[in-house]
Every structure is written in structure tokens, then in C-alpha cells.
Amino acid sequence: MDRKYVAPPYRIKMVEPIKMTTKEERISLLKESGYNPFSLRSEDVYIDLLTDSGTGAMSHFQWAALMMGDEAYAGSRSFYRLEKVAKEITNYKYIIPAHQGRGAEQVVLPQLVDRDGLYFISNMHFDTTRAHVELAGARALDCVIDECFDTENYHPFKGNFHLENLVRIIEEKGKENIAGIIMTITNNSAGGQPVSMENMHEVKKIAVKYGITLLIDGARYAENAYFVKQREDRYKNKSIREIALEVFDLADIFLMSAKKDGISNIGGLICIKEDTDLYNKCRTYIVPMEGFPTYGGLTGRDMEALAVGLNEALEEDYLEHRLDQVRYLGDKLRDAGIPIQYPTGGHAVFVDCKKFAPHIPFDQFPAQAVGNAVYLEAGVRPVEIGSFLLGRDPDTHKNLESPLELMRLTIPRRTYTYAHLDVVADAVIEVYKNRDSLVGLEFDYEPPVLRHFTARLRPIK
Ligand SMILES: *Cc1c(COP(=O)(O)O)cnc(C)c1O
């Protein structure tokens, strides 16, 4: 705690070699990918910072647990092990596994929508959550504090709900038309920014006052709990588990992508506090969607690894190191004058490419241009979160302009060392020095939906 940076609280027992490529190779690989790193083969990537989802390293306890998997279709022992762990963490009555976060969403959200004209309100919907809200026939409204979009200035909890706007939206739409309030912790889309306990308590009061169901979309609830401990004085002597329990106590439903703070390669969870009727509906509906409710699309061994990973993700030494890695990379970039979302959040450093490459207009995708240059420089794969991802207006077919053009450097859990992060920082700094030579991109091929996954681009000469 008293050192500026902490070394990893683990040592290496098994290694996975990664390939180094030459700059010449990367020039042709990037060209073949259509200047879209999503189309690169992972073996052509040296340090892969595309996502922290399912990309973490399992512990030897998790690998050992895999052998204990009970692959029974119904009533698997592995399910009961997972259920016990999830109940201990949440203090909720009902636990159903799902194949990943979006699996949990597709089962639960439709149960909360019984007619047209309903809304969900979140600090910020994650994109699959928004998609499932809309597929269920409802609308997704975001209401996050304004500080969230001010990347330069410090705010301890940029993921917080804008409480006045929340009340205003409920009053405007009518409380009977709000299907649920979704607390996304940490706030993924805003840069993994945490939500304060104080804010969550205020949201709870509003939910109670208007009689609205409160959900937690808590893929990174453990990281959020660590931020609460660090930044809210009242919680500095509480354990992460106590903080997490206090958060879960506020809500009615907890949905989780276990590929994040479950430190598993696959998995999701549906946890319901006490609503037996909702539980029964989910238990029925999940059968054709994900699978029988004691496996929900997971193998027995997945459930074993998840049961172990959920507990490991709550260990303070682990969390301290995890958040320190993100801060370390962020500090290095900031020290070099590179604009980032500050302070850094829980799982990634977001580089503000509107400021990095102001000469590239939004519809030539500045963050994609910067990301590609970082790949060329050192074989590091970032991901664009900006206008390229946002797509076009379905009616006018015009390119939408994202409020932020971000390059996300996402840190997988327990996977890379500080030395890898030094390579990443050096590459981004080198690109920054030569930023005036960056050029925008135009389409060679643009798919009609979710274009960022398969589009082909070319640099504008
Ligand atoms: C990742 C994520 C999801 C979706 O989970 P998947 O496991 O990718 O399906 C939902 N909400 C949040 C906040 C997430 O980060």
C-alpha cells in the first residue's frame, strides 16, 4: 500500500508464448485486415488490449476446479457449488447461471416488459443491455452526470447517476411506464468509471419512492467496490465483501457478465433477491434460450471455474493490483501529455482521440486511425469506441457523431505484466509524437449493421 506501484500478487506457473512481428509484417497484416484490427488474427497481435471480457488468466485453483466439473444435465453438483458462492456474495435467494451477460439479459429483461411504451433508465446502458431492452420492446434512456464527458478533470465517481435528471425522466414519462432502473457498475461505456455508494443509495430512495424495480448490471461490481473503499471515507475500513453486500442489498435483481469480475473465460449470472414469481418466469424462459436452469448454457466445469473466480475477484490484493495496472498505464500516458479519460477507471485506459488527432474529422474515425498506428508501432491491439462504432442514423443514413472519440486500451485480468504496459505506453507515446502525420479512414466495405466488426477501410491519401 505504501509503495507507488505494486508488483503482481501472483507468480507465473504456465506461460503462453506470444508472437513478435516486424513492422513490415504488421504493415501488410493491417492492410489485409482492411485497417480494422477486429479482423486481425490474434496470433498476429503482440499485446491484445481489445477487451477484458473473458480474456483473463485463471488461477491454479480455477484450473484444478475444472476437473471437478459435474456435467449432469439437471441438478449438477457444480451448479450447487456456484449457487452457494453467488448466494454468499449477494445474499440473494435465487441464482441462475447463463452463458454470458447478454444471456442473462435476454432471459430477464423481457419478463419486466409486459406492454408497449415502457422505458429502462440507466446511468449508461452497455450496448448489449441496450439491445436487449430494445428487443424486449422497451426504450433505453441514459442519465449520467455531466462530469462523465469532461475527460480532463478529476471526479472520483464519473459513473454516477444524474439524480435530478433521473427524477425528471420518471416524472415526464410517468412512473408506471418505467420498467426498471439499471445501475451499471462500473459504468463500462464511460471508461469503467465507478458509481459511489452515496449515489446508489440515492437511486434506491428514488426507486422506492416511485415503486420501480432496481437492477444492477454488475459485470465489474468488485472493481466498483474497491473504488468505493478507496474514495468514500466512510468505507475505508470495510471489506470489499461488506461493500458489495451493501450494494446488492439496494437492488432487486443482479445481472452479471462473469467474463469480467468472475475471472472466467465464459459465464453469466442471474441473481434475484426474493421475487419468487420473477424467478419462476426466468426459470421457465431460460430453458429454450440458454438451457436448463442448473446449467444455463455453461458446462459443469465452467461453473466450477466461475465459483472459484468470483471469490478471487473479491480479494483486496488482487483488486489493488488490478486497478494499479490501469492507473500505471494511464499515468505514463498523462505524464507524456496524452489526453485520457481521467482518472482512469477499472478496466481500461481511454485515450481521447478528438484531442489526440484533432485534424481528423469524426467521420474519418480519428480513434481508429490512432489505434491502427499503435498496432503498426508495436503490435498492440486497442479498440475504437467512437463514431466508427456508433454507426449511422437508421433514418437519414448519415454517420452519427459520437460525443467522444476514444481509443480503449483494455487490460485483461492477471494476464500482462508492467513490462507489457511499458511497451504499450511507449508505442502510444511514439504515435503521439508523430500525430500530425496520421490520416483519416474511409470505407472499402461497410456492412449495414454492427459495422465495426467486419468493415473494411482504407487510409485517405
Ligand atoms: C460485458 C458487459 C455486458 C455483456 O456481457 P457479455 O458477457 O459480454 O455478454 C453487460 N453489461 C456490462 C456492463 C458489461 O460490461
Side-chain angles (χ1 to χ4, degrees):
M1 280 292 219
D2 49 356
R3 285 157 298 163
K4 188 167 180 214
Y5 300 118
V6 281
Y10 48 78
R11 57 186 171 192
I12 294 164
K13 171 177 256 177
M14 194 194 298
V15 296
E16 178 183 355
I18 45 180
K19 197 167 86 181
M20 323 271 292
T21 48
T22 65
K23 191 155 195 177
E24 255 150 44
E25 287 169 331
R26 291 194 292 276
I27 288 172
S28 72
L29 288 164
L30 188 65
K31 194 172 173 198
E32 280 164 36
S33 80
Y35 294 89
N36 185 356
F38 265 109
S39 298
L40 289 169
R41 290 173 183 240
S42 85
E43 62 181 9
D44 295 327
V45 174
Y46 177 42
I47 300 173
D48 201 349
L49 305 188
L50 191 71
T51 178
D52 67 323
S53 177
T55 52
M58 291 205 295
S59 67
H60 64 178
F61 296 111
Q62 286 179 290
W63 282 103
L66 290 178
M67 287 304 295
M68 302 300 290
D70 172 4
E71 307 302 341
Y73 188 94
S76 158
R77 182 179 63 229
S78 307
F79 165 74
Y80 291 109
R81 193 163 291 158
L82 173 61
E83 183 192 45
K84 180 166 178 286
V85 169
K87 279 185 175 178
E88 279 164 6
I89 291 171
T90 59
N91 202 24
Y92 283 11
K93 212 164 162 185
Y94 303 113
I95 311 291
I96 312 175
H99 88 281
Q100 58 184 93
R102 65 201 70 183
E105 290 161 2
Q106 74 163 345
V107 170
V108 173
L109 296 178
Q111 314 309 324
L112 305 177
V113 181
D114 55 3
R115 60 187 167 83
D116 287 345
L118 298 187
Y119 298 86
F120 283 89
I121 312 171
S122 178
N123 43 347
M124 224 183 242
H125 289 83
F126 179 68
D127 48 16
T128 61
T129 318
R130 175 179 298 274
H132 279 298
V133 162
E134 289 171 1
L135 285 168
R139 297 260 184 99
L141 302 173
D142 290 343
C143 85
V144 73
I145 55 170
D146 300 335
E147 287 86 342
C148 174
F149 300 106
D150 170 10
T151 57
E152 253 162 280
N153 293 305
Y154 183 89
H155 185 288
F157 293 103
K158 284 187 176 179
N160 277 357
F161 272 85
H162 193 306
L163 298 167
E164 294 77 32
N165 282 356
L166 177 59
V167 171
R168 191 179 48 76
I169 295 170
I170 296 169
E171 297 273 353
E172 254 173 42
K173 304 293 181 193
K175 64 181 181 197
E176 64 288 352
N177 295 322
I178 310 299
I181 297 174
I182 303 176
M183 300 197 294
T184 308
I185 58 173
T186 55
N187 186 343
N188 183 350
S189 314
Q193 294 292 322
V195 182
S196 74
M197 187 72 90
E198 186 190 357
N199 191 256
M200 290 187 275
H201 274 279
E202 292 301 319
V203 171
K204 166 73 173 179
K205 278 187 209 154
I206 293 168
V208 169
K209 177 174 170 201
Y210 291 99
I212 299 169
T213 303
L214 190 53
L215 298 92
I216 294 171
D217 180 8
R220 300 180 184 79
Y221 78 94
E223 291 170 8
N224 200 84
Y226 196 80
F227 279 118
V228 166
K229 186 178 166 92
Q230 277 185 321
R231 296 182 184 171
E232 270 177 293
D233 236 16
R234 264 181 334 119
Y235 291 90
K236 67 171 185 264
N237 295 321
K238 293 230 172 176
S239 73
I240 298 299
R241 274 176 194 278
E242 287 170 327
I243 295 169
L245 268 175
E246 185 170 329
V247 173
F248 291 130
D249 188 52
L250 298 173
D252 305 295
I253 302 167
F254 166 44
L255 304 180
M256 182 183 190
S257 166
K259 301 174 72 174
K260 306 352 182 316
D261 281 352
I263 326 187
S264 293
N265 301 122
I266 197 74
L269 285 176
I270 298 166
C271 307
I272 298 171
K273 188 192 259 165
E274 58 196 5
D275 184 340
T276 308
D277 184 44
L278 175 68
Y279 168 64
N280 283 329
K281 283 187 194 156
C282 291
R283 214 162 49 133
T284 309
Y285 193 64
I286 198 170
V287 175
M289 306 303 281
E290 298 278 297
F292 194 75
T294 61
Y295 76 88
L298 295 177
T299 64
R301 55 184 175 273
D302 294 330
M303 292 191 281
E304 294 282 347
L306 176 52
V308 177
L310 283 169
N311 279 329
E312 290 180 351
L314 288 164
E315 285 169 13
E316 285 191 26
D317 287 348
Y318 155 76
L319 283 168
E320 181 188 10
H321 166 66
R322 163 99 182 122
L323 301 188
D324 188 68
Q325 277 206 322
V326 179
R327 182 169 60 97
Y328 175 82
L329 178 58
D331 280 355
K332 281 206 132 185
L333 299 185
R334 254 168 70 82
D335 289 349
I338 295 171
I340 62 167
Q341 169 71 296
Y342 175 75
T344 50
H347 65 287
V349 176
F350 287 66
V351 178
D352 185 339
C353 293
K354 227 181 224 184
K355 295 191 184 122
F356 193 115
H359 60 289
I360 302 179
F362 79 93
D363 55 358
Q364 294 178 17
F365 316 130
Q368 185 81 0
V370 176
N372 284 350
V374 170
Y375 175 72
L376 287 180
E377 182 61 33
V380 174
R381 173 159 67 173
V383 66
E384 193 257 17
I385 312 271
S387 298
F388 180 51
L389 174 83
L390 196 58
R392 292 181 186 268
D393 184 301
D395 298 324
T396 66
H397 208 61
K398 284 212 168 95
N399 271 312
L400 292 166
E401 180 171 1
S402 170
L404 294 172
E405 302 291 345
L406 301 170
M407 173 178 72
R408 187 178 79 183
L409 301 160
T410 338
I411 317 291
R413 293 171 181 74
R414 306 191 293 208
T415 304
Y416 293 116
T417 65
Y418 287 96
H420 291 105
L421 300 180
D422 289 339
V423 172
V424 175
D426 289 348
V428 177
I429 291 166
E430 192 58 31
V431 170
Y432 189 63
K433 283 185 193 149
N434 301 311
R435 60 191 180 279
D436 293 339
S437 64
L438 292 169
V439 298
L441 297 149
E442 61 191 355
F443 284 103
D444 249 346
Y445 161 68
E446 184 181 359
V449 288
L450 296 172
R451 65 182 183 188
H452 57 290
F453 290 122
T454 53
R456 297 186 64 82
L457 299 161
R458 61 174 171 258
I460 297 172
K461 294 266 154 48

